[in-house]
Amino acid sequence: MSAYGGLGPMTNAVLWLEVVIFAVFAGLRIYTRKHILNAIGLDDYLVVLALILHILYTIFVTIATHYGLGRLFADVGDPVIYSKATMYEVFSQVAGIMVIGVGKGAVGTFLLRIVRNKIQIWFIWGCLGITTFITLFASITVVIQCFPVEKTWNPTVEGTCWIDFSKVGYTVGSWFVAADFSFAILPWFIIWDLNMKQKEKITVACGLSLGIFAGICGIVRTVALAGLNASEYIYDTVPMLIWSATESCVTIMCSSIPVLRPLYVRIRYGTKDENGSSGNTSYKLPLYGSGRKYGRLSKSGLDPSTIETIGGSLRAPADDYHKSNVSDEHILDGAAGIERTDEISVSYEPAEKKV
């Protein structure tokens, strides 16, 4: 028997639309890293995992709407069907929590490609460690919050609930928001010490700080967690389900936009960058390099042994770039005012007069 209706159709439409958007950005990201940069990393694999979990999340919500998710208990009528809707929603919450956590992990590991300052590196690893623990704890707790487990979605079953999951939800939601804003603010500290024009610094830092929008979505989702304690569970939790999916989608979108810079350059300028030079030989700031060992740190957090000042901007030695493509990202390629400049110093002494 189907109890489909109410807010169910709208919920499915929004969630599946976000699946398409999520998949498009994830696909473009993998294409850029694989075929243009040839530098697929852990953050890209985490994005793919997040996409799989996001699809799984949407499937569970869709099944739940078939049993009445988005409708009031009086409209569903049958307690058995109502409990099935609740069960599949609980399963969806497991996938939803994990996809948000994995998304934050993708952002953190992406920043690890950029950061060379040890303090900042340890800060990111600390955030990733806490995120992993909270994600796993919440994903397990949402299912086993009651004994027997069936009581979690069927209150008529005799048993006890050992934890108030709404409190867990608020804690997890608050941490995810804090992680979003931390990862959005960190690039400003990285970029600001570089020897670049202020306009360029702002442009690059803003591109790396788009995660602030994911943080805003996280705030809205955390507020929507109030539906967990509502009497009409499968109706009042619909906003939470939608905003959970939206937060995940926005997280991946914002973290992928800087990565897609090389794809944009290739589409607009072909195999050449905005300055008309070949993308394979154009200068790239070492900020986005990977595969290098951490060395002595300068004020900017970069290894001075791989950097030299050319024309007033930080550059890596040309030989290093021709050995291999050490730059993982091209977000700074073609930025206004950043050009390759070769300086030639000529010294001479006046010849001695012959007697």
PDB file of all heavy atoms in Angstrom, residues 282-320:
ATOM      1  N   SER A 282      53.163  27.567 -19.096  1.00  0.00           N
ATOM      2  CA  SER A 282      52.883  28.782 -18.345  1.00  0.00           C
ATOM      3  C   SER A 282      53.279  28.606 -16.894  1.00  0.00           C
ATOM      4  O   SER A 282      53.233  27.516 -16.355  1.00  0.00           O
ATOM      5  CB  SER A 282      51.393  29.127 -18.438  1.00  0.00           C
ATOM      6  OG  SER A 282      50.618  28.098 -17.893  1.00  0.00           O
ATOM      7  N   TYR A 283      53.651  29.691 -16.270  1.00  0.00           N
ATOM      8  CA  TYR A 283      54.079  29.633 -14.880  1.00  0.00           C
ATOM      9  C   TYR A 283      52.892  29.410 -13.966  1.00  0.00           C
ATOM     10  O   TYR A 283      51.820  29.950 -14.170  1.00  0.00           O
ATOM     11  CB  TYR A 283      54.785  30.938 -14.507  1.00  0.00           C
ATOM     12  CG  TYR A 283      56.268  30.836 -14.644  1.00  0.00           C
ATOM     13  CD1 TYR A 283      56.835  30.414 -15.847  1.00  0.00           C
ATOM     14  CD2 TYR A 283      57.113  31.131 -13.597  1.00  0.00           C
ATOM     15  CE1 TYR A 283      58.200  30.316 -15.985  1.00  0.00           C
ATOM     16  CE2 TYR A 283      58.491  31.039 -13.721  1.00  0.00           C
ATOM     17  CZ  TYR A 283      59.029  30.631 -14.924  1.00  0.00           C
ATOM     18  OH  TYR A 283      60.374  30.527 -15.062  1.00  0.00           O
ATOM     19  N   LYS A 284      53.103  28.647 -12.943  1.00  0.00           N
ATOM     20  CA  LYS A 284      52.067  28.347 -11.969  1.00  0.00           C
ATOM     21  C   LYS A 284      52.673  28.536 -10.593  1.00  0.00           C
ATOM     22  O   LYS A 284      53.773  28.080 -10.327  1.00  0.00           O
ATOM     23  CB  LYS A 284      51.566  26.914 -12.125  1.00  0.00           C
ATOM     24  CG  LYS A 284      51.109  26.599 -13.543  1.00  0.00           C
ATOM     25  CD  LYS A 284      50.888  25.117 -13.692  1.00  0.00           C
ATOM     26  CE  LYS A 284      50.495  24.759 -15.106  1.00  0.00           C
ATOM     27  NZ  LYS A 284      51.546  25.019 -16.074  1.00  0.00           N
ATOM     28  N   LEU A 285      51.964  29.190  -9.724  1.00  0.00           N
ATOM     29  CA  LEU A 285      52.483  29.351  -8.379  1.00  0.00           C
ATOM     30  C   LEU A 285      52.604  27.993  -7.720  1.00  0.00           C
ATOM     31  O   LEU A 285      51.747  27.141  -7.880  1.00  0.00           O
ATOM     32  CB  LEU A 285      51.552  30.251  -7.553  1.00  0.00           C
ATOM     33  CG  LEU A 285      51.572  31.730  -7.937  1.00  0.00           C
ATOM     34  CD1 LEU A 285      50.619  32.486  -7.030  1.00  0.00           C
ATOM     35  CD2 LEU A 285      52.958  32.309  -7.821  1.00  0.00           C
ATOM     36  N   PRO A 286      53.631  27.763  -6.933  1.00  0.00           N
ATOM     37  CA  PRO A 286      53.834  26.471  -6.290  1.00  0.00           C
ATOM     38  C   PRO A 286      52.830  26.213  -5.184  1.00  0.00           C
ATOM     39  O   PRO A 286      52.863  25.173  -4.570  1.00  0.00           O
ATOM     40  CB  PRO A 286      55.251  26.590  -5.712  1.00  0.00           C
ATOM     41  CG  PRO A 286      55.445  28.054  -5.487  1.00  0.00           C
ATOM     42  CD  PRO A 286      54.718  28.724  -6.604  1.00  0.00           C
ATOM     43  N   LEU A 287      51.946  27.170  -4.938  1.00  0.00           N
ATOM     44  CA  LEU A 287      50.975  27.041  -3.865  1.00  0.00           C
ATOM     45  C   LEU A 287      50.149  25.776  -3.989  1.00  0.00           C
ATOM     46  O   LEU A 287      49.740  25.171  -3.004  1.00  0.00           O
ATOM     47  CB  LEU A 287      50.051  28.267  -3.892  1.00  0.00           C
ATOM     48  CG  LEU A 287      48.942  28.353  -2.857  1.00  0.00           C
ATOM     49  CD1 LEU A 287      49.550  28.465  -1.475  1.00  0.00           C
ATOM     50  CD2 LEU A 287      48.039  29.527  -3.134  1.00  0.00           C
ATOM     51  N   TYR A 288      49.885  25.353  -5.210  1.00  0.00           N
ATOM     52  CA  TYR A 288      49.008  24.214  -5.411  1.00  0.00           C
ATOM     53  C   TYR A 288      49.750  22.939  -5.751  1.00  0.00           C
ATOM     54  O   TYR A 288      49.157  21.996  -6.231  1.00  0.00           O
ATOM     55  CB  TYR A 288      47.983  24.529  -6.515  1.00  0.00           C
ATOM     56  CG  TYR A 288      46.989  25.556  -6.088  1.00  0.00           C
ATOM     57  CD1 TYR A 288      47.235  26.900  -6.267  1.00  0.00           C
ATOM     58  CD2 TYR A 288      45.816  25.179  -5.460  1.00  0.00           C
ATOM     59  CE1 TYR A 288      46.331  27.843  -5.851  1.00  0.00           C
ATOM     60  CE2 TYR A 288      44.909  26.114  -5.043  1.00  0.00           C
ATOM     61  CZ  TYR A 288      45.174  27.454  -5.245  1.00  0.00           C
ATOM     62  OH  TYR A 288      44.269  28.388  -4.827  1.00  0.00           O
ATOM     63  N   GLY A 289      51.030  22.905  -5.532  1.00  0.00           N
ATOM     64  CA  GLY A 289      51.804  21.720  -5.863  1.00  0.00           C
ATOM     65  C   GLY A 289      51.558  20.594  -4.886  1.00  0.00           C
ATOM     66  O   GLY A 289      51.105  20.790  -3.778  1.00  0.00           O
ATOM     67  N   SER A 290      51.876  19.400  -5.314  1.00  0.00           N
ATOM     68  CA  SER A 290      51.796  18.246  -4.432  1.00  0.00           C
ATOM     69  C   SER A 290      52.956  17.335  -4.740  1.00  0.00           C
ATOM     70  O   SER A 290      53.640  17.474  -5.734  1.00  0.00           O
ATOM     71  CB  SER A 290      50.484  17.486  -4.623  1.00  0.00           C
ATOM     72  OG  SER A 290      50.480  16.856  -5.872  1.00  0.00           O
ATOM     73  N   GLY A 291      53.156  16.369  -3.881  1.00  0.00           N
ATOM     74  CA  GLY A 291      54.213  15.416  -4.116  1.00  0.00           C
ATOM     75  C   GLY A 291      55.567  15.872  -3.627  1.00  0.00           C
ATOM     76  O   GLY A 291      56.541  15.158  -3.735  1.00  0.00           O
ATOM     77  N   ARG A 292      55.640  17.099  -3.064  1.00  0.00           N
ATOM     78  CA  ARG A 292      56.900  17.575  -2.521  1.00  0.00           C
ATOM     79  C   ARG A 292      56.963  17.289  -1.034  1.00  0.00           C
ATOM     80  O   ARG A 292      55.978  17.354  -0.330  1.00  0.00           O
ATOM     81  CB  ARG A 292      57.046  19.081  -2.767  1.00  0.00           C
ATOM     82  CG  ARG A 292      57.089  19.462  -4.220  1.00  0.00           C
ATOM     83  CD  ARG A 292      57.468  20.928  -4.342  1.00  0.00           C
ATOM     84  NE  ARG A 292      56.592  21.807  -3.593  1.00  0.00           N
ATOM     85  CZ  ARG A 292      55.477  22.304  -4.087  1.00  0.00           C
ATOM     86  NH1 ARG A 292      55.097  21.963  -5.292  1.00  0.00           N
ATOM     87  NH2 ARG A 292      54.744  23.126  -3.384  1.00  0.00           N
ATOM     88  N   LYS A 293      58.155  17.025  -0.562  1.00  0.00           N
ATOM     89  CA  LYS A 293      58.320  16.820   0.869  1.00  0.00           C
ATOM     90  C   LYS A 293      58.284  18.170   1.565  1.00  0.00           C
ATOM     91  O   LYS A 293      58.693  19.181   1.024  1.00  0.00           O
ATOM     92  CB  LYS A 293      59.650  16.120   1.158  1.00  0.00           C
ATOM     93  CG  LYS A 293      59.719  14.715   0.594  1.00  0.00           C
ATOM     94  CD  LYS A 293      61.043  14.092   0.940  1.00  0.00           C
ATOM     95  CE  LYS A 293      61.126  12.668   0.379  1.00  0.00           C
ATOM     96  NZ  LYS A 293      62.422  12.054   0.695  1.00  0.00           N
ATOM     97  N   TYR A 294      57.774  18.144   2.795  1.00  0.00           N
ATOM     98  CA  TYR A 294      57.745  19.373   3.555  1.00  0.00           C
ATOM     99  C   TYR A 294      59.162  19.770   3.922  1.00  0.00           C
ATOM    100  O   TYR A 294      59.948  18.984   4.423  1.00  0.00           O
ATOM    101  CB  TYR A 294      56.916  19.215   4.836  1.00  0.00           C
ATOM    102  CG  TYR A 294      55.476  18.894   4.557  1.00  0.00           C
ATOM    103  CD1 TYR A 294      54.831  17.852   5.209  1.00  0.00           C
ATOM    104  CD2 TYR A 294      54.778  19.639   3.619  1.00  0.00           C
ATOM    105  CE1 TYR A 294      53.501  17.564   4.938  1.00  0.00           C
ATOM    106  CE2 TYR A 294      53.451  19.358   3.347  1.00  0.00           C
ATOM    107  CZ  TYR A 294      52.816  18.319   4.013  1.00  0.00           C
ATOM    108  OH  TYR A 294      51.508  18.041   3.753  1.00  0.00           O
ATOM    109  N   GLY A 295      59.515  21.014   3.657  1.00  0.00           N
ATOM    110  CA  GLY A 295      60.857  21.481   3.950  1.00  0.00           C
ATOM    111  C   GLY A 295      60.817  22.632   4.923  1.00  0.00           C
ATOM    112  O   GLY A 295      59.862  22.832   5.646  1.00  0.00           O
ATOM    113  N   ARG A 296      61.872  23.396   4.916  1.00  0.00           N
ATOM    114  CA  ARG A 296      61.949  24.548   5.795  1.00  0.00           C
ATOM    115  C   ARG A 296      60.864  25.536   5.398  1.00  0.00           C
ATOM    116  O   ARG A 296      60.617  25.796   4.220  1.00  0.00           O
ATOM    117  CB  ARG A 296      63.338  25.194   5.646  1.00  0.00           C
ATOM    118  CG  ARG A 296      63.572  26.364   6.574  1.00  0.00           C
ATOM    119  CD  ARG A 296      65.060  26.665   6.594  1.00  0.00           C
ATOM    120  NE  ARG A 296      65.597  26.828   5.236  1.00  0.00           N
ATOM    121  CZ  ARG A 296      65.636  27.995   4.612  1.00  0.00           C
ATOM    122  NH1 ARG A 296      65.138  29.077   5.189  1.00  0.00           N
ATOM    123  NH2 ARG A 296      66.171  28.078   3.419  1.00  0.00           N
ATOM    124  N   LEU A 297      60.199  26.127   6.370  1.00  0.00           N
ATOM    125  CA  LEU A 297      59.045  26.965   6.098  1.00  0.00           C
ATOM    126  C   LEU A 297      59.410  28.435   6.172  1.00  0.00           C
ATOM    127  O   LEU A 297      60.079  28.884   7.094  1.00  0.00           O
ATOM    128  CB  LEU A 297      57.924  26.660   7.098  1.00  0.00           C
ATOM    129  CG  LEU A 297      57.427  25.220   7.062  1.00  0.00           C
ATOM    130  CD1 LEU A 297      56.378  25.020   8.139  1.00  0.00           C
ATOM    131  CD2 LEU A 297      56.878  24.865   5.707  1.00  0.00           C
ATOM    132  N   SER A 298      58.928  29.171   5.202  1.00  0.00           N
ATOM    133  CA  SER A 298      59.091  30.617   5.233  1.00  0.00           C
ATOM    134  C   SER A 298      57.876  31.242   5.878  1.00  0.00           C
ATOM    135  O   SER A 298      56.964  30.565   6.327  1.00  0.00           O
ATOM    136  CB  SER A 298      59.248  31.144   3.799  1.00  0.00           C
ATOM    137  OG  SER A 298      58.068  30.907   3.070  1.00  0.00           O
ATOM    138  N   LYS A 299      57.825  32.570   5.901  1.00  0.00           N
ATOM    139  CA  LYS A 299      56.691  33.265   6.506  1.00  0.00           C
ATOM    140  C   LYS A 299      55.390  32.886   5.846  1.00  0.00           C
ATOM    141  O   LYS A 299      54.356  32.782   6.475  1.00  0.00           O
ATOM    142  CB  LYS A 299      56.914  34.784   6.416  1.00  0.00           C
ATOM    143  CG  LYS A 299      55.758  35.603   6.995  1.00  0.00           C
ATOM    144  CD  LYS A 299      56.022  37.078   6.842  1.00  0.00           C
ATOM    145  CE  LYS A 299      54.841  37.899   7.376  1.00  0.00           C
ATOM    146  NZ  LYS A 299      55.044  39.344   7.191  1.00  0.00           N
ATOM    147  N   SER A 300      55.409  32.691   4.531  1.00  0.00           N
ATOM    148  CA  SER A 300      54.192  32.365   3.809  1.00  0.00           C
ATOM    149  C   SER A 300      53.790  30.920   3.986  1.00  0.00           C
ATOM    150  O   SER A 300      52.737  30.508   3.542  1.00  0.00           O
ATOM    151  CB  SER A 300      54.380  32.640   2.312  1.00  0.00           C
ATOM    152  OG  SER A 300      55.374  31.787   1.807  1.00  0.00           O
ATOM    153  N   GLY A 301      54.646  30.121   4.614  1.00  0.00           N
ATOM    154  CA  GLY A 301      54.335  28.721   4.786  1.00  0.00           C
ATOM    155  C   GLY A 301      54.842  27.866   3.658  1.00  0.00           C
ATOM    156  O   GLY A 301      54.602  26.675   3.618  1.00  0.00           O
ATOM    157  N   LEU A 302      55.532  28.471   2.684  1.00  0.00           N
ATOM    158  CA  LEU A 302      56.030  27.732   1.540  1.00  0.00           C
ATOM    159  C   LEU A 302      57.516  27.457   1.712  1.00  0.00           C
ATOM    160  O   LEU A 302      58.227  28.156   2.423  1.00  0.00           O
ATOM    161  CB  LEU A 302      55.790  28.526   0.257  1.00  0.00           C
ATOM    162  CG  LEU A 302      54.324  28.887  -0.003  1.00  0.00           C
ATOM    163  CD1 LEU A 302      54.238  29.744  -1.258  1.00  0.00           C
ATOM    164  CD2 LEU A 302      53.476  27.647  -0.136  1.00  0.00           C
ATOM    165  N   ASP A 303      57.980  26.439   1.057  1.00  0.00           N
ATOM    166  CA  ASP A 303      59.383  26.047   1.140  1.00  0.00           C
ATOM    167  C   ASP A 303      60.212  27.003   0.288  1.00  0.00           C
ATOM    168  O   ASP A 303      60.098  27.017  -0.934  1.00  0.00           O
ATOM    169  CB  ASP A 303      59.527  24.616   0.616  1.00  0.00           C
ATOM    170  CG  ASP A 303      60.934  24.091   0.823  1.00  0.00           C
ATOM    171  OD1 ASP A 303      61.821  24.903   1.143  1.00  0.00           O
ATOM    172  OD2 ASP A 303      61.120  22.874   0.666  1.00  0.00           O
ATOM    173  N   PRO A 304      61.064  27.814   0.905  1.00  0.00           N
ATOM    174  CA  PRO A 304      61.832  28.799   0.139  1.00  0.00           C
ATOM    175  C   PRO A 304      62.812  28.163  -0.832  1.00  0.00           C
ATOM    176  O   PRO A 304      63.269  28.798  -1.749  1.00  0.00           O
ATOM    177  CB  PRO A 304      62.555  29.604   1.226  1.00  0.00           C
ATOM    178  CG  PRO A 304      62.625  28.677   2.405  1.00  0.00           C
ATOM    179  CD  PRO A 304      61.383  27.857   2.337  1.00  0.00           C
ATOM    180  N   SER A 305      63.137  26.891  -0.627  1.00  0.00           N
ATOM    181  CA  SER A 305      64.067  26.232  -1.540  1.00  0.00           C
ATOM    182  C   SER A 305      63.450  25.983  -2.898  1.00  0.00           C
ATOM    183  O   SER A 305      64.141  25.727  -3.862  1.00  0.00           O
ATOM    184  CB  SER A 305      64.529  24.899  -0.942  1.00  0.00           C
ATOM    185  OG  SER A 305      63.436  23.998  -0.837  1.00  0.00           O
ATOM    186  N   THR A 306      62.126  26.074  -2.971  1.00  0.00           N
ATOM    187  CA  THR A 306      61.461  25.842  -4.253  1.00  0.00           C
ATOM    188  C   THR A 306      60.877  27.121  -4.823  1.00  0.00           C
ATOM    189  O   THR A 306      60.126  27.092  -5.779  1.00  0.00           O
ATOM    190  CB  THR A 306      60.313  24.836  -4.081  1.00  0.00           C
ATOM    191  OG1 THR A 306      59.338  25.377  -3.176  1.00  0.00           O
ATOM    192  CG2 THR A 306      60.808  23.521  -3.541  1.00  0.00           C
ATOM    193  N   ILE A 307      61.218  28.269  -4.199  1.00  0.00           N
ATOM    194  CA  ILE A 307      60.617  29.523  -4.622  1.00  0.00           C
ATOM    195  C   ILE A 307      61.697  30.554  -4.892  1.00  0.00           C
ATOM    196  O   ILE A 307      62.677  30.644  -4.186  1.00  0.00           O
ATOM    197  CB  ILE A 307      59.665  30.061  -3.539  1.00  0.00           C
ATOM    198  CG1 ILE A 307      58.570  29.038  -3.256  1.00  0.00           C
ATOM    199  CG2 ILE A 307      59.050  31.376  -3.956  1.00  0.00           C
ATOM    200  CD1 ILE A 307      57.691  29.435  -2.099  1.00  0.00           C
ATOM    201  N   GLU A 308      61.510  31.347  -5.919  1.00  0.00           N
ATOM    202  CA  GLU A 308      62.380  32.488  -6.117  1.00  0.00           C
ATOM    203  C   GLU A 308      61.510  33.665  -6.524  1.00  0.00           C
ATOM    204  O   GLU A 308      60.423  33.495  -7.073  1.00  0.00           O
ATOM    205  CB  GLU A 308      63.415  32.207  -7.203  1.00  0.00           C
ATOM    206  CG  GLU A 308      62.805  31.848  -8.547  1.00  0.00           C
ATOM    207  CD  GLU A 308      63.879  31.491  -9.534  1.00  0.00           C
ATOM    208  OE1 GLU A 308      65.030  31.283  -9.120  1.00  0.00           O
ATOM    209  OE2 GLU A 308      63.569  31.441 -10.721  1.00  0.00           O
ATOM    210  N   THR A 309      61.951  34.851  -6.196  1.00  0.00           N
ATOM    211  CA  THR A 309      61.171  36.041  -6.505  1.00  0.00           C
ATOM    212  C   THR A 309      61.530  36.527  -7.897  1.00  0.00           C
ATOM    213  O   THR A 309      62.677  36.840  -8.171  1.00  0.00           O
ATOM    214  CB  THR A 309      61.447  37.147  -5.484  1.00  0.00           C
ATOM    215  OG1 THR A 309      61.140  36.636  -4.191  1.00  0.00           O
ATOM    216  CG2 THR A 309      60.594  38.369  -5.763  1.00  0.00           C
ATOM    217  N   ILE A 310      60.528  36.568  -8.750  1.00  0.00           N
ATOM    218  CA  ILE A 310      60.733  37.004 -10.132  1.00  0.00           C
ATOM    219  C   ILE A 310      59.730  38.100 -10.438  1.00  0.00           C
ATOM    220  O   ILE A 310      58.530  37.880 -10.392  1.00  0.00           O
ATOM    221  CB  ILE A 310      60.536  35.851 -11.126  1.00  0.00           C
ATOM    222  CG1 ILE A 310      61.449  34.690 -10.758  1.00  0.00           C
ATOM    223  CG2 ILE A 310      60.776  36.305 -12.536  1.00  0.00           C
ATOM    224  CD1 ILE A 310      61.295  33.491 -11.651  1.00  0.00           C
ATOM    225  N   GLY A 311      60.194  39.281 -10.743  1.00  0.00           N
ATOM    226  CA  GLY A 311      59.292  40.353 -11.115  1.00  0.00           C
ATOM    227  C   GLY A 311      58.346  40.737 -10.007  1.00  0.00           C
ATOM    228  O   GLY A 311      57.242  41.187 -10.271  1.00  0.00           O
ATOM    229  N   GLY A 312      58.731  40.542  -8.762  1.00  0.00           N
ATOM    230  CA  GLY A 312      57.907  40.971  -7.638  1.00  0.00           C
ATOM    231  C   GLY A 312      56.877  39.961  -7.210  1.00  0.00           C
ATOM    232  O   GLY A 312      56.113  40.222  -6.298  1.00  0.00           O
ATOM    233  N   SER A 313      56.805  38.787  -7.833  1.00  0.00           N
ATOM    234  CA  SER A 313      55.842  37.767  -7.446  1.00  0.00           C
ATOM    235  C   SER A 313      56.567  36.481  -7.126  1.00  0.00           C
ATOM    236  O   SER A 313      57.650  36.217  -7.652  1.00  0.00           O
ATOM    237  CB  SER A 313      54.823  37.519  -8.567  1.00  0.00           C
ATOM    238  OG  SER A 313      54.065  38.673  -8.807  1.00  0.00           O
ATOM    239  N   LEU A 314      55.953  35.662  -6.283  1.00  0.00           N
ATOM    240  CA  LEU A 314      56.567  34.391  -5.936  1.00  0.00           C
ATOM    241  C   LEU A 314      56.463  33.436  -7.106  1.00  0.00           C
ATOM    242  O   LEU A 314      55.404  33.234  -7.659  1.00  0.00           O
ATOM    243  CB  LEU A 314      55.880  33.791  -4.716  1.00  0.00           C
ATOM    244  CG  LEU A 314      56.148  34.529  -3.399  1.00  0.00           C
ATOM    245  CD1 LEU A 314      55.315  33.894  -2.299  1.00  0.00           C
ATOM    246  CD2 LEU A 314      57.616  34.471  -3.036  1.00  0.00           C
ATOM    247  N   ARG A 315      57.569  32.811  -7.462  1.00  0.00           N
ATOM    248  CA  ARG A 315      57.588  31.841  -8.554  1.00  0.00           C
ATOM    249  C   ARG A 315      58.441  30.660  -8.150  1.00  0.00           C
ATOM    250  O   ARG A 315      59.370  30.781  -7.361  1.00  0.00           O
ATOM    251  CB  ARG A 315      58.194  32.453  -9.830  1.00  0.00           C
ATOM    252  CG  ARG A 315      57.407  33.626 -10.397  1.00  0.00           C
ATOM    253  CD  ARG A 315      56.087  33.166 -10.991  1.00  0.00           C
ATOM    254  NE  ARG A 315      55.445  34.250 -11.693  1.00  0.00           N
ATOM    255  CZ  ARG A 315      54.610  35.086 -11.122  1.00  0.00           C
ATOM    256  NH1 ARG A 315      54.365  34.978  -9.837  1.00  0.00           N
ATOM    257  NH2 ARG A 315      54.045  36.045 -11.829  1.00  0.00           N
ATOM    258  N   ALA A 316      58.173  29.524  -8.715  1.00  0.00           N
ATOM    259  CA  ALA A 316      59.066  28.382  -8.546  1.00  0.00           C
ATOM    260  C   ALA A 316      60.054  28.393  -9.702  1.00  0.00           C
ATOM    261  O   ALA A 316      59.751  28.887 -10.781  1.00  0.00           O
ATOM    262  CB  ALA A 316      58.283  27.080  -8.531  1.00  0.00           C
ATOM    263  N   PRO A 317      61.248  27.856  -9.505  1.00  0.00           N
ATOM    264  CA  PRO A 317      62.231  27.810 -10.585  1.00  0.00           C
ATOM    265  C   PRO A 317      61.676  27.130 -11.819  1.00  0.00           C
ATOM    266  O   PRO A 317      60.964  26.139 -11.720  1.00  0.00           O
ATOM    267  CB  PRO A 317      63.389  26.999  -9.976  1.00  0.00           C
ATOM    268  CG  PRO A 317      63.230  27.180  -8.496  1.00  0.00           C
ATOM    269  CD  PRO A 317      61.760  27.284  -8.266  1.00  0.00           C
ATOM    270  N   ALA A 318      62.025  27.675 -12.999  1.00  0.00           N
ATOM    271  CA  ALA A 318      61.467  27.160 -14.245  1.00  0.00           C
ATOM    272  C   ALA A 318      61.802  25.704 -14.456  1.00  0.00           C
ATOM    273  O   ALA A 318      60.999  24.936 -14.973  1.00  0.00           O
ATOM    274  CB  ALA A 318      61.975  27.998 -15.421  1.00  0.00           C
ATOM    275  N   ASP A 319      63.012  25.284 -14.064  1.00  0.00           N
ATOM    276  CA  ASP A 319      63.417  23.900 -14.286  1.00  0.00           C
ATOM    277  C   ASP A 319      62.478  22.933 -13.605  1.00  0.00           C
ATOM    278  O   ASP A 319      62.203  21.844 -14.101  1.00  0.00           O
ATOM    279  CB  ASP A 319      64.844  23.681 -13.780  1.00  0.00           C
ATOM    280  CG  ASP A 319      65.853  24.421 -14.645  1.00  0.00           C
ATOM    281  OD1 ASP A 319      65.489  24.776 -15.779  1.00  0.00           O
ATOM    282  OD2 ASP A 319      66.994  24.637 -14.171  1.00  0.00           O
ATOM    283  N   ASP A 320      61.994  23.312 -12.407  1.00  0.00           N
ATOM    284  CA  ASP A 320      61.102  22.416 -11.669  1.00  0.00           C
ATOM    285  C   ASP A 320      59.811  22.190 -12.409  1.00  0.00           C
ATOM    286  O   ASP A 320      59.210  21.138 -12.350  1.00  0.00           O
ATOM    287  CB  ASP A 320      60.802  22.993 -10.279  1.00  0.00           C
ATOM    288  CG  ASP A 320      62.042  23.001  -9.407  1.00  0.00           C
ATOM    289  OD1 ASP A 320      62.984  22.265  -9.755  1.00  0.00           O
ATOM    290  OD2 ASP A 320      62.059  23.731  -8.405  1.00  0.00           O
TER     291      ASP A 320
END
